[in-house]
Amino acid sequence: MNIPETQKDLLAYLDRITRELGSTRGGRIQNRLDHFTTASITDSLAISRSLASQYLNELVRAGLVVKAGARPVCYFHRRSLERFFQSRIERSTYPSVEQLFATLGNGERLDFDRAIGHELSLAPCISQLCAALKYPPAGLPILLCGASGTGKGLLAELALEYGKNVGVLQQEAKLVSIDCSHYADDARALTHDLCADGGPADRASGGIVYLKDVDTLSPAAQDALLEWASAQAGAIVPAPAARLIFATSNEADSTECRSLTRRIPMSAQVPSLRERTQEEREELTLHFLKEEGRRIGRDILISRGAFRALAGTNFEENVRGLRDCITNCCAEAYLDTKGDSLEIRTYQLPSAILAGSALERSENDMQLIDTTRSIQSQADDRARHVLDAMLEPYESYREGTLDGSACSAQLVERARDLEDYLAFGQNPGRSKSDAYEQIADSVVTSVNELYSIDLSRKSSHLIAQGICLQLWPPANLSRWKSSHASELSGMRGVVAQRNRFAVTVCACIADELKATLGIALDDLTCLLVLAHAALALDPSKRRRSVGIVLSHGYSTATSIADAANRILDTRVFEAIDMPYDQKVTDVAAPLQQIIDRFSYADEVVILVDMGSLQDIYKSLESTSGMTLGIINNASTGLAVEVGAGLIAGRSVREVLDDAAAACTCNYHIVARNARPDAIVFCSEGGLDAAARIRDLVAQSLPGESPARLVAVGWRQLANNGSEDAAFSQYNVRSVIGTDNPHADGVPFISLEELIAGEGTAQIDRAFARLLDADGLRTFHQNLVKNMTLRNVVESITILNPNKLFGEIESAAERLQQLTGDVIGARVSMGLYVHLCCLVERLVTRSPIENYADEQRFANEHNDFVEAFRTSFSDISAHYHVEVPVTEIAYAYDYINSRHTPRRQATLNDGPAAQQDE
């Protein structure tokens, strides 16, 4: 065809602007249609309107240009438009542009829908972005976390378009981008530029301020930025406030982002290319190939081997790296271009890909893919194929050619393919699936305990994946679910009718997830969990008998049920606690709920605590299909007898007959053996120190002591416990000392509690039978006067107390400085007493003898050992002693745990075993 030069220029111009249709990220095609009118074309080419109209219509008749619409008419370069939409155009004229685009089968996508993976890996991130933009009154700042090249900037642009489309941003709103790396160490310049007239918030016109690389800012600059952001959020201005999107290339839980995530209300993780599904990676690869073809005006063909290698490579720069690599490949192949096609072969890939694991051989590697034709992703179709296969037995069931049991069995079996799809296929919502799995794991553990079953960790993983598939379904699957809603409900019903136990377990899981996550499982997810439970659970191992303890009291029934279950090592009993002011009819509803929860059980036995509850069964609505037994005088012993019989599989009548006979009342009388009341004193400083503590307390008692005050060696008490002779000789009301010897059943009052004025209730209990109210009051007043830290130190040591106290105080302060740990006031008081005893033990040559894992402590806490010895160097020099590692370990445990040292250290109490007053 002989075309005039001006007409060639016109065709080339149309070619260029048609290829640029989708070149602007965040822009809409409809906003650029005025470029394709006759008026715009004549202005751009500086030719007359009549000549342009003549040439354009000739090109339309020649099939090179497509004409659409009327007043104004738009003209498009036909081949470039086909490349853009990846579809063939059958006609040269269309009544409207909308009809042209609709015929091409590519209705324009809006905002986030244009992001590849918006319904898959990007779905959680996009959901959080939408929430941040729409949150009243003016949105919330959000931090986008994701490696370089993952598409954070694109998401910010799409967020602007989304905000305009949903009406939270005005149409004149703009996106203003700020590179924070330019202000890395200059907080003043950052503050000036942010707050100046015409700053980013003003330029955004109520749109979005996108601040990238915020993690590169110094702490001072971060503070300045976040203070400005806070002021923006709280400002009252006539103009709409700008939304703020922060971006970082680090993970949200990284050290660099810790201060940011703590102060920015929302954060979202943008997945890396490695975390994208195979479907997304293929779609991204195809998208960039098509985009490059539009840009250079060529049809790009690529071998299947090269395409698979590109889609399977994890680029360091993520999505950006994939795009740049495709550009390089096209440039490499451009030299061999013939005609309108550009072919990319495997050998033209970068050497890093050729040497990588993504390159695998296949029989069809040499076949060429025409990227101008849409490639259907198979990942999305797999789920639909699995579900279509499940429809087959259900359709046969509805037609009457398959009975319900066979249909249920086939549905359960075919659900395994859906499990495999979730386990090994794509993972929409990857950033949240791990968190969902942790919650599902706790739910499964609870259900296992409740029903005495053994669902595995695989069940937790499946539930989490099912939730993600429900919240972020692929587009094809979402449409399938919508069009087959009634069939899904019917399939669920068929499986439920033949698997009563699995229905109960599934309902419990669904209720727990609703209470924990606020998510109501849909029919597909319920069918999946139900089928999984039906396969995983052995019907022969289900609980056929259930016990229920119903008793007055706020935790009586719970205590009985828990004790019996522990003794039987099997969960047999559930519990209902009945407050004393509650009516019998009030407990009918919770009792019915438990019976409904175990509706699959054959037998239910109810233990009640008194005869008035024996008729509780009359208030129940339904117990059909189960035998019900009720027995009164509930106790732990009765529960164990009944539970053992139920576990053995005996009938309810046999169980209750034997339990009633076995649990008759017996009694015996123990004559009173009067022993004098006593208060026992001990100290790790030895028997003499314990005696001095006793004397200090004795001085605070009003008048003669009404009880025996006994000093006993700490080591003796720690070794013998409540079996010590002191406890058989006296009725010991309490043990008072520097260290708890852990004598079972005997309350302990620490010396630091007396010094701090604490432990009032414990003191009252210990002396309640020994002193009247006035005596207790006087005793407390005297303790406040006598039990000062200095008095205690003076009383428990044979060394010069004034000098020793000052030395200990200096050493403790020095220890805090060296270790950087702040010792609390309460621990500090006890520590002073402890360290005084430590010095006395060293001086008297009776240190702590040993410490469990002494060498390991010295290796793991070498810094503390050195700091302690440095802090106590003056004391060591003054008393000519050296602090052994065993004493340092004991002091470390005392500071960090008030219980560990009692078990790890062995003290030397000296020769005396016990000394009375």
Side-chain angles (χ1 to χ4, degrees):
M1 178 179 178
N2 188 17
I3 301 177
E5 288 300 320
T6 303
Q7 197 172 25
K8 289 182 180 178
D9 293 341
L10 190 153
L11 185 62
Y13 174 74
L14 278 182
D15 181 21
R16 179 172 61 81
I17 63 174
T18 303
R19 282 191 281 112
E20 292 175 351
L21 260 178
S23 62
T24 302
R25 294 195 310 179
R28 295 180 59 181
I29 295 174
Q30 296 292 344
N31 296 338
R32 309 186 56 160
L33 292 181
D34 58 343
H35 295 183
F36 298 89
T37 63
T38 305
S40 177
I41 294 171
T42 56
D43 289 345
S44 299
L45 296 178
I47 61 178
S48 70
R49 188 183 182 96
S50 59
L51 182 61
S53 180
Q54 175 190 337
Y55 282 164
L56 286 168
N57 283 297
E58 288 177 359
L59 291 170
V60 170
R61 287 191 293 272
L64 299 176
V65 170
V66 177
K67 176 181 179 180
R71 296 185 181 178
V73 178
C74 291
Y75 297 90
F76 303 92
H77 189 281
R78 184 171 189 154
R79 189 69 189 96
S80 294
L81 196 63
E82 287 178 335
R83 287 196 184 103
F84 178 82
F85 283 109
Q86 302 300 306
S87 180
R88 298 302 177 190
I89 299 174
E90 303 299 333
R91 296 158 47 191
S92 295
T93 60
Y94 289 86
S96 67
V97 174
E98 291 75 18
Q99 185 174 343
L100 167 62
F101 289 170
T103 303
L104 291 168
N106 269 299
E108 187 179 3
R109 293 182 177 182
L110 301 179
D111 50 73
F112 288 122
D113 287 352
R114 299 217 310 277
I116 294 173
H118 67 274
E119 79 279 35
L120 296 173
S121 298
L122 291 180
C125 177
I126 289 174
S127 176
Q128 289 169 289
L129 270 169
C130 293
L133 286 167
K134 297 176 72 173
Y135 193 82
L140 287 174
I142 185 170
L143 175 66
L144 293 183
C145 303
S148 176
T150 50
K152 300 185 290 295
L154 172 63
L155 288 173
E157 293 178 11
L158 296 178
L160 176 72
E161 185 180 342
Y162 171 82
K164 293 179 180 180
N165 290 338
V166 298
V168 297
L169 300 179
Q170 297 182 0
Q171 291 303 312
E172 63 271 17
K174 300 180 180 64
L175 176 73
V176 176
S177 180
I178 298 176
D179 188 347
C180 293
S181 63
H182 296 161
Y183 304 93
D185 298 307
D186 197 343
R188 181 176 298 177
L190 177 62
T191 303
H192 176 270
D193 290 351
L194 290 173
C195 299
D197 290 338
D202 295 334
R203 298 199 304 274
S205 301
I208 293 174
V209 177
Y210 175 62
L211 303 113
K212 63 180 181 178
D213 294 331
V214 290
D215 53 294
T216 61
L217 296 174
S218 65
Q222 283 189 16
D223 288 342
L225 175 61
L226 294 173
E227 286 176 11
W228 172 80
S230 178
Q232 285 292 308
I236 301 176
V237 293
R243 268 58 170 179
L244 303 179
I245 298 179
F246 301 86
T248 172
S249 298
N250 291 298
E251 298 290 328
D253 57 356
S254 64
T255 303
E256 295 83 357
C257 290
R258 195 165 297 155
S259 62
L260 294 169
T261 53
R262 190 171 59 247
R263 298 171 65 181
I264 297 175
M266 295 186 70
S267 62
Q269 185 68 42
V270 183
S272 65
L273 184 62
R274 183 187 301 274
E275 295 170 316
R276 294 294 198 102
T277 67
Q278 184 61 28
E279 175 186 2
E280 293 171 81
R281 295 161 74 100
E282 291 177 2
E283 190 173 351
L284 284 165
T285 303
L286 180 62
H287 170 76
F288 291 133
L289 286 167
K290 290 180 177 180
E291 190 177 73
E292 198 65 23
R294 294 187 194 111
R295 192 168 68 87
I296 64 176
R298 294 290 187 275
D299 295 338
I300 295 180
L301 290 82
I302 183 171
S303 70
R304 291 190 178 276
F307 183 87
R308 188 175 62 252
L310 284 171
T313 299
N314 295 314
F315 293 92
E316 185 175 348
E317 286 295 304
N318 294 288
V319 177
R320 185 194 302 133
L322 172 61
R323 184 191 65 197
D324 293 345
C325 180
I326 288 173
T327 300
N328 291 336
C329 291
C330 290
E332 178 81 15
Y334 186 79
L335 296 176
D336 299 326
T337 299
K338 296 178 181 179
D340 288 341
S341 297
L342 181 151
E343 297 180 3
I344 299 176
R345 302 285 183 174
T346 304
Y347 73 86
Q348 293 168 317
L349 299 180
S351 57
I353 297 180
L354 292 174
S357 59
L359 189 62
E360 300 175 358
R361 291 185 178 180
S362 179
E363 293 181 0
N364 61 356
D365 277 355
M366 299 302 294
Q367 293 179 3
L368 289 174
I369 299 171
D370 184 354
T371 62
T372 62
R373 305 286 187 175
S374 298
I375 295 178
Q376 295 283 337
S377 176
Q378 298 178 357
D380 203 9
D381 290 338
R382 183 180 170 193
R384 292 194 301 108
H385 291 328
V386 170
L387 292 170
D388 285 339
M390 293 180 70
L391 282 176
E392 294 174 7
Y394 179 66
E395 291 299 331
S396 299
Y397 166 75
R398 290 206 302 182
E399 293 169 0
T401 58
L402 192 68
D403 63 34
S405 297
C407 178
S408 174
Q410 290 189 32
L411 287 173
V412 168
E413 186 63 32
R414 294 189 183 193
R416 282 184 172 179
D417 293 333
L418 188 57
E419 287 189 29
D420 292 342
Y421 165 77
L422 291 175
F424 305 111
Q426 63 210 32
N427 182 356
R430 181 186 181 95
S431 61
K432 287 194 174 182
S433 64
D434 291 343
Y436 289 155
E437 186 169 343
Q438 290 182 9
I439 294 172
D441 197 43
S442 66
V443 169
V444 167
T445 300
S446 174
V447 171
N448 281 344
E449 181 183 354
L450 178 63
Y451 292 109
S452 299
I453 56 179
D454 189 26
L455 292 176
S456 67
R457 187 68 181 269
K458 177 184 177 183
S459 304
S460 306
H461 180 71
L462 176 68
I463 292 169
Q465 297 293 333
I467 291 173
C468 289
L469 190 68
Q470 174 179 327
L471 296 178
W472 302 289
N476 288 353
L477 181 58
S478 181
R479 289 191 291 270
W480 190 97
K481 288 168 62 177
S482 177
S483 60
H484 295 86
S486 60
E487 289 90 340
L488 278 172
S489 177
M491 288 190 288
R492 177 184 172 187
V494 170
V495 176
Q497 288 176 5
R498 276 80 186 173
N499 297 275
R500 289 177 57 205
F501 183 39
V503 169
T504 302
V505 172
C506 180
C508 187
I509 290 173
D511 289 344
E512 289 287 330
L513 291 172
K514 178 81 177 287
T516 307
L517 293 173
I519 297 172
L521 302 186
D522 64 11
D523 280 332
L524 177 58
T525 311
C526 281
L527 176 60
L528 177 67
V529 176
L530 180 59
H532 173 77
L535 278 172
L537 301 176
D538 184 352
S540 65
K541 294 182 180 180
R542 66 177 174 85
R543 288 174 63 180
R544 298 186 178 277
S545 301
V546 179
I548 303 172
V549 181
L550 175 55
S551 180
H552 290 82
Y554 287 97
S555 62
T556 307
T558 299
S559 298
I560 293 173
D562 183 61
N565 290 337
R566 286 176 178 271
I567 292 170
L568 296 167
D569 198 26
T570 303
R571 182 158 180 164
V572 179
F573 290 99
E574 308 301 314
I576 300 176
D577 294 307
M578 181 178 175
Y580 297 106
D581 57 352
Q582 196 171 26
K583 298 178 181 178
V584 173
T585 53
D586 293 339
V587 297
L591 180 59
Q592 184 71 58
Q593 289 176 358
I594 294 179
I595 290 176
D596 290 343
R597 189 190 304 162
F598 294 94
S599 58
Y600 61 85
D602 300 324
E603 300 169 334
V604 174
V605 177
I606 304 175
L607 279 64
V608 299
D609 61 345
M610 58 181 66
S612 62
L613 290 173
Q614 279 190 275
D615 293 334
I616 186 67
Y617 71 92
K618 296 179 181 178
S619 301
L620 299 176
E621 295 178 0
S622 173
T623 57
S624 61
M626 58 177 62
T627 303
L628 189 66
I630 301 177
I631 186 170
N632 64 0
N633 296 328
S635 65
T636 302
L638 179 63
V640 171
E641 287 288 336
V642 171
L646 294 178
I647 292 172
R650 302 169 65 197
S651 70
V652 170
R653 185 172 297 279
E654 290 176 326
V655 169
L656 296 188
D657 281 344
D658 291 348
C663 293
T664 56
C665 294
N666 297 296
Y667 72 91
H668 65 273
I669 299 173
V670 179
R672 181 179 179 184
N673 180 16
R675 291 175 295 161
D677 289 330
I679 306 295
V680 168
F681 297 84
C682 67
S683 171
E684 85 248 33
L687 194 57
D688 290 339
R692 291 194 290 272
I693 296 171
R694 176 198 63 192
D695 295 341
L696 197 59
V697 173
Q699 295 172 15
S700 301
L701 286 167
E704 287 293 325
S705 172
R708 304 293 294 272
L709 305 181
V710 182
V712 180
W714 183 91
R715 183 178 181 184
Q716 175 185 327
L717 283 181
N719 289 338
N720 298 336
S722 57
E723 300 298 321
D724 191 77
F727 298 103
S728 59
Q729 184 178 354
Y730 302 106
N731 176 33
V732 179
R733 303 286 299 168
S734 180
V735 175
I736 298 176
T738 58
D739 244 351
N740 190 350
H742 296 285
D744 292 339
V746 182
F748 173 75
I749 302 173
S750 66
L751 198 55
E752 56 260 38
E753 287 177 321
L754 295 180
I755 297 171
E758 300 175 358
T760 302
Q762 297 158 287
I763 294 169
D764 287 349
R765 282 194 295 271
F767 289 88
R769 283 172 46 182
L770 311 177
L771 301 171
D772 57 19
D774 290 337
L776 279 174
R777 191 178 304 110
T778 303
F779 183 40
H780 283 299
Q781 292 171 350
N782 292 342
L783 282 175
V784 172
K785 291 186 294 184
N786 295 334
M787 299 300 291
T788 64
L789 181 59
R790 188 171 294 275
N791 285 348
V792 170
V793 171
E794 290 175 354
S795 299
I796 65 174
T797 181
I798 61 175
L799 304 174
N800 183 333
N802 290 329
K803 183 172 182 58
L804 178 60
F805 187 86
E807 292 171 332
I808 292 297
E809 189 172 29
S810 299
E813 290 178 359
R814 179 62 174 155
L815 182 62
Q816 289 189 83
Q817 294 173 356
L818 291 176
T819 61
D821 294 331
V822 178
I823 302 173
R826 167 74 178 280
V827 175
S828 179
M829 292 181 183
L831 183 63
Y832 281 17
V833 174
H834 168 78
L835 295 178
C836 289
C837 294
L838 181 153
V839 174
E840 184 168 313
R841 286 197 299 273
L842 296 180
V843 171
T844 58
R845 300 294 189 271
S846 57
I848 292 175
E849 294 177 345
N850 58 64
Y851 181 89
D853 297 325
E854 175 184 340
Q855 187 58 47
R856 187 174 69 177
F857 174 85
N859 293 336
E860 293 179 356
H861 302 286
N862 182 60
D863 291 345
F864 183 84
V865 172
E866 293 301 321
F868 194 94
R869 283 180 169 157
T870 300
S871 303
F872 278 73
S873 58
D874 291 343
I875 295 177
S876 298
H878 180 260
Y879 294 102
H880 305 290
V881 295
E882 182 178 351
V883 185
V885 172
T886 52
E887 287 283 4
I888 297 174
Y890 188 60
Y892 178 87
D893 284 339
Y894 187 93
I895 295 171
N896 291 278
S897 169
R898 296 293 290 116
H899 304 289
T900 304
R902 282 54 164 177
R903 295 183 174 88
Q904 291 185 328
T906 302
L907 302 175
N908 186 348
D909 285 328
Q914 180 173 325
Q915 176 183 336
D916 203 348
E917 59 181 343

